[in-house]
Amino acid sequence: MKKLSFIIFSTCLIFASCSNNNDDDETAEETSKRLEIMYNEIIELSLVNSQICINPEEWGFELLSSSACGSNRGYILYSKKADKVKLDAKIKEYIKTNQIM
């Protein structure tokens, strides 16, 4: 009888721990869509599409993504006229979300 109780308890424990709660979990597709929206916001904040590059000294580069090994995988060009605080905050959020994937 003890073995049967242990088996039933173990089975219930396994099913409870393996249940999938989709309310809190974001799918890869949803995360990808959110990253795309954030990327477009970063482009808009960087003023790269609205400013003409005449003087290279008015432009800078910011790290946009990095790999788990510490190497950099991408940079974004931004106008130094852009709101750097908002741009940095959005980039930080983008990198954090991208690391989840």
Side-chain angles (χ1 to χ4, degrees):
M1 186 67 176
K2 284 186 175 183
K3 287 184 181 181
L4 180 61
S5 296
F6 179 74
I7 292 172
I8 292 173
F9 173 75
S10 299
T11 305
C12 290
L13 184 62
I14 290 171
F15 283 122
S17 65
C18 293
S19 67
N20 189 3
N21 186 358
N22 286 333
D23 295 337
D24 296 334
D25 296 338
E26 186 175 59
T27 65
E29 185 176 320
E30 291 168 337
T31 304
S32 179
K33 182 66 176 172
R34 195 159 55 105
L35 283 169
E36 182 181 343
I37 291 168
M38 280 192 275
Y39 180 80
N40 290 334
E41 291 171 351
I42 290 169
I43 294 296
E44 186 176 320
L45 287 170
S46 72
L47 303 177
V48 73
N49 290 333
S50 61
Q51 298 288 317
I52 299 172
C53 181
I54 297 172
N55 183 0
E57 292 180 8
E58 294 177 355
W59 294 84
F61 290 94
E62 187 71 36
L63 178 65
L64 188 58
S65 64
S66 60
S67 71
C69 300
S71 65
N72 301 330
R73 295 189 317 186
Y75 289 87
I76 184 134
L77 181 68
Y78 71 93
S79 170
K80 292 185 179 176
K81 296 176 185 175
D83 185 343
K84 189 78 164 82
V85 174
K86 286 183 182 179
L87 181 62
D88 286 345
K90 186 57 73 172
I91 289 173
K92 186 181 281 189
E93 179 185 0
Y94 179 85
I95 290 171
K96 183 178 178 182
T97 304
N98 203 12
Q99 289 174 345
I100 294 170
M101 284 190 71

